[in-house]
Amino acid sequence: MVLDLLESFTRASIDTDGPVVDLGEPQAAAFIYGAAPLRNETLQGDSWADISARLSLRVPIDQGGGGDDDPLDPPGFIRFRVRRANSRSVAVIVDGLLVRTAALPANNAAGVVSVAIPRDRFTRTPTEVELRFSTSRLKPGMTPRAALEVDWVHLARTDASPTVVAGLLSDVSLAGPPRRALTFHPPTALGLTRVLPPGATFRLALGAECPRGSSRPPPPLIARVRVELDGEAPLERRFEIAPNRAWTEGSLDLSRFAGRPARITVQAVEGAEARLAVASPRLEFPRTAAPRAAAPAHVVMVVVRGLRADRLWPQLSPRLTHGGFARLLREGSHATVTSPGPRPWSAVMSATSGLPVDVHRVFEPTDLLSDEAPTLTSELAARGVAVACFSEDPLWFGSGADRGCATRWSCADHPGPCRADVSLSAVADELTRSRSTQRFSLVVSRGGAFPLDPSTEHITAIDPAPYEGTLTPAQTVALAERGHRGDVRLDPRDQERLNLLYDASLRSVDEGLAQLLERIDEAHLTDRVMVVVVGDRGVPLGEQRSVWEGPMSQREVNTTAMLWRGPGVPAGALLGEALGVVDGAATALAAFDIETPAEMEGRSVRDVDSLHHRALTVEGDARGGLGLRFGALLALPRPMSLGGGLSLRSVDDPDGEDLASSRPIARALAWQSLALSSPAAGRRVFRAPTRVIAP
């Protein structure tokens, strides 16, 4: 398997899973190790971190420039971008001593704060630096509110504006076709922290660019690749690269660091006349096929409407404290999956039936699924599996996706508040009563769906003292309806309150999952029960002035999360394949050794090798035409003079007879997610659900 790291290197955000950037002369690196957990939300392309009181940095004074014995000058400024500052001032503390204070932007304005630091404070490497923000005095039992939000932090040697990492990307031509690469001059270093899979090897291509036409050959550029862990001897390799020559392939064996977070740094050490180019940084590791496990006695599939992946990784939201999601992340596997469509009802129909949107054609609650359409529950029931369905949404029963449910549990039959923890508790009761029978339990939870109506206990656990005139759960209905008509411009406090209500709604799912997993362990059914949690779509919470519904171009709507735990599932694995929401249904069918119907187009995550069939390979024929490969067929664009469309040819004989013209029936090739692979770019571009028709 190959994990491309180019995008990870280019994320310029305060993120323990993202890069820490040393931009040399004028910037130095700052390792964030004491920041508040990130919210991982984006607004106009920027990532922001909530800071409640202080932000701690570990600042290395790298060796470089003229050699290892020639240290760089220490930084003279600390600079960060801030917004929504409730705090009015910041104190800079270096190694426990106060050195400077500065005012923050007033009236919740966004701005860059630059504070000078005496260079003589940096007497060792690394140096501990703390940004401490003034906060209001808390009453007993109160939860500290965020003092401000911070985007990036740089330690700089001059007061010049910082460079973002994404600006270092360019196309580099060295003795061949151009390659997308990160380019920077010495002594710049780029790094990221990543949990390494077993048997991993870090590979990259290194080159050096230098102005041409000089009368003397330029000196070689010295590059260093370094991998380090806390408490371990670092692994390092140096490369001497001749400028304007062919790419140099480099590699480091990281197998001894398997399963641990390691910091990978690529640095241009010396060579002032040239700049270093880093192309195709990647991790290569063997695909470990899990041993075939016996079919579980029980499968529990939980569909959480509006589930956002950014609440779960790269780190779990601190507001989800009951431990349900945490156990699934720790004991099972997880992945970011593609939503089938922007419409909420069609998305939940795909997640619960296993059918893509263009197959089930259900867009509103008034639409009904065809009686002839295969569904997850009907396929299981037809093969003798006992199916029980639990839903907090009364509209879902009778939609057609519930066909095959022998047992139905709904809020109409349950007195009092009805939320995810209650329905999951009912699943646990059903599970322990039927230990020997193969059963499937489907839970459809409103989770993050609008209107957001979490319990008062879950709200006060996050914010016991809301501001006057706070956004109420009832008002989220009006926000969702207004989102259909146009932009929603929220006050910063209201947008934060909307996020709070969403997180409080997910707490009931988190609590219910924790109770369910605990009951499974108490009944000694851990090795016989598989739990699958999948969202139907994401949900915008005021980003880009949209609430609830939004276009597919928005990441908050286009992606959601999938987690699974059970027999044969590796623990703590993040699957980087092209997954879709319908894969949850396919995984449940495969757990009972039932073949997925062709209409569902899903693939089981237990059979990772089958997921590679979704990658479309770009190939050319003998005449120079460029097309897409589908198994043994090559689809090439047909000239408009011949009617247009696609021409299907055999891969073994690309110049042979046009197979499409010899068939009386049109051939349809359908994928849940399409991946367009480009070796030159070194990455895959995943598209939304698409159907490719070849005449």
Side-chain angles (χ1 to χ4, degrees):
M1 294 182 64
V2 178
L3 181 61
D4 181 25
L5 298 180
L6 185 64
E7 183 181 353
S8 299
F9 272 107
T10 58
R11 291 197 193 106
S13 62
I14 302 175
D15 186 345
T16 54
D17 189 45
V20 173
V21 187
D22 178 1
L23 292 170
E25 265 335 308
Q27 274 99 22
F31 298 96
I32 289 90
Y33 69 94
L38 296 180
R39 284 174 23 192
N40 296 306
E41 295 170 5
T42 59
L43 181 65
Q44 298 177 350
D46 295 328
S47 297
W48 301 82
D50 271 343
I51 307 298
S52 58
R54 62 189 64 184
L55 174 66
S56 300
L57 314 171
R58 184 180 291 117
V59 182
I61 309 302
D62 291 336
Q63 305 293 318
D68 287 344
D69 297 329
D70 183 13
L72 300 175
D73 291 335
F77 296 86
I78 183 169
R79 185 170 50 249
F80 56 94
R81 187 148 64 102
V82 63
R83 70 174 181 181
R84 295 180 183 171
N86 298 323
S87 177
R88 291 292 170 260
S89 62
V90 57
V92 181
I93 299 172
V94 180
D95 279 342
L97 298 177
L98 175 67
V99 296
R100 287 286 188 275
T101 60
L104 297 178
N107 302 321
N108 287 325
V112 176
V113 179
S114 184
V115 184
I117 304 178
R119 285 190 168 92
D120 57 8
R121 296 290 185 181
F122 295 88
T123 58
R124 59 189 177 89
T125 180
T127 300
E128 310 295 334
V129 177
E130 182 178 276
L131 301 178
R132 188 171 297 177
F133 304 98
S134 60
T135 55
S136 58
R137 188 180 301 275
L138 297 177
K139 297 179 181 179
M142 288 182 59
T143 303
R145 298 184 62 186
L148 74 170
E149 294 180 0
V150 170
D151 184 10
W152 46 253
V153 176
H154 286 297
L155 273 290
R157 296 185 179 86
T158 72
D159 204 15
S161 299
T163 304
V164 295
V165 188
L168 304 178
L169 273 173
S170 60
D171 293 324
V172 179
S173 297
L174 295 173
R179 303 178 68 173
R180 197 69 170 163
L182 288 161
T183 57
F184 45 90
H185 291 274
T188 303
L190 301 183
L192 59 83
T193 301
R194 174 133 343 238
V195 178
L196 300 177
T201 300
F202 177 61
R203 299 186 187 276
L204 75 171
L206 299 173
E209 279 191 321
C210 187
R212 303 174 187 267
S214 175
S215 59
R216 59 182 179 83
L221 185 144
I222 306 300
R224 179 177 64 187
V225 179
R226 184 183 179 93
V227 180
E228 52 190 334
L229 284 80
D230 289 340
E232 292 275 352
L235 186 63
E236 181 178 307
R237 184 178 176 186
R238 285 182 173 243
F239 298 87
E240 185 174 297
I241 307 169
N244 302 327
R245 300 293 179 87
W247 292 91
T248 300
E249 299 292 336
S251 65
L252 280 177
D253 183 7
L254 308 181
S255 55
R256 67 184 176 103
F257 297 148
R260 302 167 62 188
R263 176 164 179 76
I264 304 173
T265 305
V266 182
Q267 181 179 9
V269 180
E270 56 183 276
E273 296 183 17
R275 66 173 183 172
L276 178 66
V278 180
S280 303
R282 61 199 183 274
L283 288 175
E284 296 182 358
F285 50 96
R287 184 183 301 279
T288 55
R292 183 66 177 175
H298 202 131
V299 174
V300 180
M301 178 173 163
V302 184
V303 176
V304 183
R305 300 191 61 188
L307 179 61
R308 290 175 56 134
D310 63 358
R311 292 310 199 264
L312 306 178
W313 52 81
Q315 59 188 19
L316 185 68
S317 169
R319 292 172 171 175
L320 303 177
T321 58
H322 291 284
F325 287 114
R327 283 196 62 180
L328 287 174
L329 291 170
R330 184 175 64 251
E331 301 173 4
S333 299
H334 55 284
T336 300
V337 298
T338 303
S339 173
R343 305 291 291 274
W345 194 249
S346 62
V348 73
M349 289 296 291
S350 289
T352 55
S353 69
L355 299 171
V357 177
D358 59 343
V359 175
H360 65 63
R361 310 293 294 176
V362 175
F363 302 102
E364 300 293 343
T366 53
D367 301 333
L368 297 180
L369 185 64
S370 171
D371 293 337
E372 290 76 24
T375 65
L376 170 62
T377 51
S378 64
E379 290 293 309
L380 290 169
R383 287 159 179 78
V385 178
V387 178
C389 298
F390 305 76
S391 179
E392 308 150 35
D393 195 335
L395 295 176
W396 184 77
F397 286 113
S399 64
D402 60 331
R403 204 172 347 105
C405 298
T407 303
R408 299 165 184 260
W409 185 99
S410 67
C411 286
D413 307 323
H414 179 81
C418 182
R419 295 184 175 88
D421 54 338
V422 180
S423 57
L424 286 169
S425 178
V427 173
D429 294 339
E430 185 76 18
L431 183 149
T432 54
R433 285 196 298 265
S434 55
R435 299 169 58 93
S436 60
T437 307
Q438 279 196 335
R439 300 185 66 87
F440 173 74
S441 297
L442 175 62
V443 182
V444 184
S445 170
R446 292 190 63 255
F450 276 67
L452 300 172
D453 56 349
S455 65
T456 305
E457 294 78 11
H458 286 151
I459 296 177
T460 54
I462 301 175
D463 185 9
Y467 60 90
E468 184 178 355
T470 183
L471 185 70
T472 64
Q475 290 173 320
T476 62
V477 181
L479 280 176
E481 292 176 350
R482 185 183 176 189
H484 291 277
R485 295 193 295 270
D487 290 352
V488 178
R489 298 183 180 273
L490 294 177
D491 179 270
R493 294 189 308 173
D494 287 340
Q495 182 165 345
E496 170 56 28
R497 187 67 179 181
L498 193 63
N499 278 273
L500 184 148
L501 293 175
Y502 175 82
D503 293 338
S505 300
L506 284 189
R507 283 174 67 93
S508 65
V509 182
D510 190 37
E511 182 179 3
L513 287 173
Q515 296 174 356
L516 174 65
L517 296 174
E518 185 176 353
R519 295 278 296 275
I520 290 174
D521 294 342
E522 291 175 353
H524 304 288
L525 295 174
T526 307
D527 296 332
R528 304 187 65 196
V529 177
M530 183 174 188
V531 178
V532 180
V533 178
V534 64
D536 63 337
R537 67 195 283 273
V539 53
L541 299 171
E543 299 92 348
Q544 301 177 7
R545 299 186 295 277
S546 180
V547 173
W548 185 221
E549 288 201 27
M552 284 292 286
S553 60
Q554 287 189 349
R555 182 181 182 278
E556 291 78 12
V557 179
N558 194 35
T559 60
T560 182
M562 183 173 172
L563 310 93
W564 59 100
R565 187 197 85 156
V569 177
L574 174 61
L575 195 61
E577 305 291 343
L579 299 181
V581 165
V582 294
D583 291 331
T587 301
L589 290 171
F592 292 112
D593 290 327
I594 298 175
E595 185 177 355
T596 304
E599 294 87 347
M600 291 187 178
E601 300 177 359
R603 297 292 185 272
S604 170
V605 294
R606 289 163 57 105
D607 184 13
V608 180
D609 291 331
S610 68
L611 300 174
H612 288 284
H613 296 310
R614 297 179 181 169
L616 299 185
T617 306
V618 179
E619 291 191 3
D621 65 355
R623 299 175 180 174
L626 191 64
L628 301 177
R629 179 173 175 175
F630 301 88
L633 296 178
L634 184 63
L636 299 166
R638 183 182 293 164
M640 293 303 297
S641 60
L642 299 178
L646 293 178
S647 174
L648 295 182
R649 301 183 184 276
S650 171
V651 173
D652 298 330
D653 185 15
D655 282 334
E657 181 185 5
D658 185 351
L659 301 181
S661 61
S662 64
R663 297 184 180 182
I665 302 177
R667 178 181 178 87
L669 303 172
W671 275 260
Q672 164 62 20
S673 296
L674 300 184
L676 189 60
S677 180
S678 171
R683 60 181 179 179
R684 285 180 174 177
V685 180
F686 298 109
R687 300 185 179 276
T690 308
R691 182 176 292 276
V692 180
I693 304 296

